[in-house]
């Protein structure tokens, strides 16, 4: 019943724009997938969708299909969202999703910071749900909000380290990067403002290896655990999406360099908070995942739902108990505020 309700509700998402109120992200499809995977019954999914849809704006109509050689020239143009959507829907039908992803991702990955990682995250959830229309929407959203941070992946520059946390500490110690965050600005705007011209070579600082995705995920996790910062939250949930999207990237190393660049820009955008050199392990006396998930099923905040879900599945992938500690802290804070 829950899977049928999820499919039904995801099919409705084409009615709504991926953003509303001038740039806020529509998290509904992602929250629905997370709730369903955590065990929410069909009536909970329908109620959540009904309440959330009240804030959304309708999707534009009448998109035209762009030639294969034309759509990359329009990356970053928000007004072309409907055209991107029509283009990717046609490509998914004609070529199939795997081929569409293999064709599109090399062009989209250099802009993976788009809309504070939300198109990337939405794509990860769409792949998990095996929802073709959702995949096309995520790709169109990504293309329309594509955000270049400068630099070129794969130059002859020698990497500095394979440890992202050490590289973040290097950024923190470098007086060249001295961004002062604006609390009233959107995340992606702050990321762009933080990337001064000297930022371009940073993309090649990270030495890519077999363990790079785990190390990047760990850096995002530890940064969020240390700061509770809202941008760092998106870094953490973004890395869950990377794990799902990466198998469709034929050049894995290039994709991970773009991801590293985006995480580095996000770190600079929040003012370079200290990166813990040694982080204490997760508390062994924290509640177990079944209890944490049951609490989360009652949450209304989409960021709570997504963060807890990301922590759950990433703990299963990497066996890091800090994910459970972070999830417990988030849920307890929400329960305390509710009282």
């Amino acid at each position: 019943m829950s899977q049928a309700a999820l499919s039904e509700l995801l099919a409705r998402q084409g009615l709504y724009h991926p953003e509303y109120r001038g740039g806020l992200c529509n998290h509904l499809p992602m929250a629905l997938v997370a709730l369903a995977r955590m065990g929410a019954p069909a009536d909970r999914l329908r109620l959540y969708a009904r309440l959330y849809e009240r804030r959304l704006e309708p999707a534009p109509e009448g998109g035209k299909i762009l030639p294969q050689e034309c759509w990359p020239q329009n990356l970053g143009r928000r007004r072309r969202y409907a055209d991107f959507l029509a283009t990717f829907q046609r490509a998914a039908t004609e070529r199939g999703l795997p081929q569409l992803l293999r064709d599109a991702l090399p062009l989209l990955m250099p802009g993976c910071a788009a809309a504070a990682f939300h198109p990337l995250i939405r794509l990860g959830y769409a792949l998990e749900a095996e929802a073709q229309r959702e995949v096309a929407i995520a790709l169109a959203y990504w293309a329309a909000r594509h955000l270049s941070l400068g630099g070129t992946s794969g130059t002859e520059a020698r990497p500095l380290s394979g440890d992202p946390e050490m590289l973040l500490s290097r950024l923190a110690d470098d007086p060249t990067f001295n961004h002062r965050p604006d609390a009233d600005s959107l995340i992606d705007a702050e990321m762009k403002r933080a990337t001064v011209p000297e930022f371009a070579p940073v993309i090649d600082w990270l030495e890519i290896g077999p363990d790079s995705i785990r190390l990047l995920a760990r850096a995002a996790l530890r940064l969020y655990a240390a700061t509770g910062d809202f941008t760092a939250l998106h870094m953490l949930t973004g890395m869950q999406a990377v794990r799902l999207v990466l198998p469709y990237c034929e050049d894995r190393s290039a994709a991970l360099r773009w991801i590293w660049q985006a995480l580095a820009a996000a770190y600079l955008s929040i003012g370079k908070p200290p990166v813990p050199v040694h982080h204490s392990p997760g508390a062994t006396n924290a509640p177990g995942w079944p209890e944490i998930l049951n609490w989360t099923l009652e949450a209304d905040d989409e960021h709570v739902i997504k963060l807890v879900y990301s922590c759950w599945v990433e703990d299963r992938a990497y066996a890091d108990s800090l994910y459970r500690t972070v999830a417990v802290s988030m849920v307890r804070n929400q329960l305390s505020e509710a009282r």
Side-chain angles (χ1 to χ4, degrees):
M1 290 291 291
S2 179
Q3 182 57 45
L6 176 63
S7 298
E8 167 197 325
L9 292 168
L10 289 179
R12 286 179 48 82
Q13 297 315 300
L15 299 173
Y16 303 108
H17 198 284
E19 293 183 334
Y20 63 99
R21 295 179 191 167
L24 298 180
C25 175
N26 170 10
H27 292 82
L28 179 55
M30 298 171 275
L32 289 172
V33 173
L35 286 169
R37 293 290 185 267
M38 289 188 291
D43 58 348
R44 169 61 175 150
L45 297 181
R46 291 195 174 95
L47 175 61
Y48 190 88
R50 186 164 65 250
L51 295 176
Y52 198 103
E53 286 173 353
R54 294 174 181 174
R55 74 182 77 169
L56 300 180
E57 298 173 5
E61 299 179 355
K64 67 177 183 178
I65 297 170
L66 303 171
Q68 176 66 22
E69 67 278 6
C70 180
W71 72 260
Q73 301 171 15
N74 289 278
L75 288 173
R77 298 181 181 178
R78 297 192 191 193
R79 62 183 178 82
R80 303 307 295 266
Y81 168 73
D83 297 336
F84 286 128
L85 181 56
T87 301
F88 292 135
Q89 286 177 324
R90 170 68 67 84
T93 300
E94 293 182 346
R95 286 180 269 156
L97 284 182
Q99 189 58 51
L100 167 60
L101 290 164
R102 286 192 291 268
D103 292 342
L105 285 173
L107 298 164
L108 295 176
M109 270 297 175
C112 62
F117 302 103
H118 286 119
L120 168 64
I121 296 170
R122 186 162 180 171
L123 177 59
Y125 277 94
L127 292 171
E128 187 167 359
E130 300 181 345
Q132 178 170 306
R133 185 174 178 83
E134 269 296 298
V135 169
I137 291 172
L139 292 174
Y141 183 22
W142 193 340
R145 297 283 269 110
H146 190 274
L147 180 64
S148 173
L149 298 174
T152 302
S153 173
T155 67
E156 296 300 317
R158 185 175 180 178
L160 302 182
S161 172
D163 184 353
E165 292 173 65
M166 188 278 283
L167 295 177
L168 292 180
S169 294
R170 183 185 178 99
L171 282 172
D173 294 337
D174 191 334
T176 305
F177 307 108
N178 193 28
H179 176 71
R180 295 185 178 182
D182 178 357
D184 295 326
S185 181
L186 292 175
I187 292 173
D188 55 342
E190 285 298 286
M191 291 172 67
K192 185 65 175 177
R193 287 204 311 119
T195 54
V196 295
E198 292 82 1
F199 179 75
V202 171
I203 189 171
D204 288 317
W205 282 13
L206 181 67
E207 182 177 5
I208 304 300
D211 210 25
S212 292
I213 186 171
R214 183 185 68 82
L215 295 174
L216 288 165
R218 186 182 70 179
L221 168 65
R222 290 184 176 181
L223 184 62
Y224 178 73
T227 65
D229 184 87
F230 192 56
T231 295
L233 182 153
H234 290 83
M235 296 165 70
L236 190 163
T237 56
M239 285 309 304
Q240 178 212 341
V242 171
R243 189 166 51 79
L244 297 169
V245 171
L246 197 59
Y248 296 93
C249 298
E250 293 185 333
D251 190 339
R252 180 179 183 275
S253 293
L256 287 171
R257 277 192 288 270
W258 292 118
I259 293 297
W260 151 247
Q261 182 198 51
L263 294 181
Y267 175 67
L268 292 177
S269 78
I270 60 177
K272 306 191 298 186
V275 180
V277 178
H278 300 290
H279 204 292
S280 59
T284 56
N285 61 348
W289 279 116
E291 186 175 359
I292 298 169
L293 299 185
N294 282 335
W295 287 342
T296 308
L297 292 181
E298 301 303 317
D300 293 324
D301 189 314
E302 60 267 39
H303 290 100
V304 173
I305 293 167
K306 287 172 55 206
L307 178 70
V308 172
Y309 180 70
S310 289
C311 286
W312 178 44
V313 297
E314 295 295 84
D315 187 15
R316 290 162 62 187
Y318 300 125
D320 187 335
S321 61
L322 184 57
Y323 282 110
R324 186 157 56 102
T325 302
V326 165
V328 169
S329 177
M330 170 64 87
V331 172
R332 282 178 172 165
N333 287 342
Q334 288 297 307
L335 290 175
S336 176
E337 290 177 6
R339 295 191 186 104

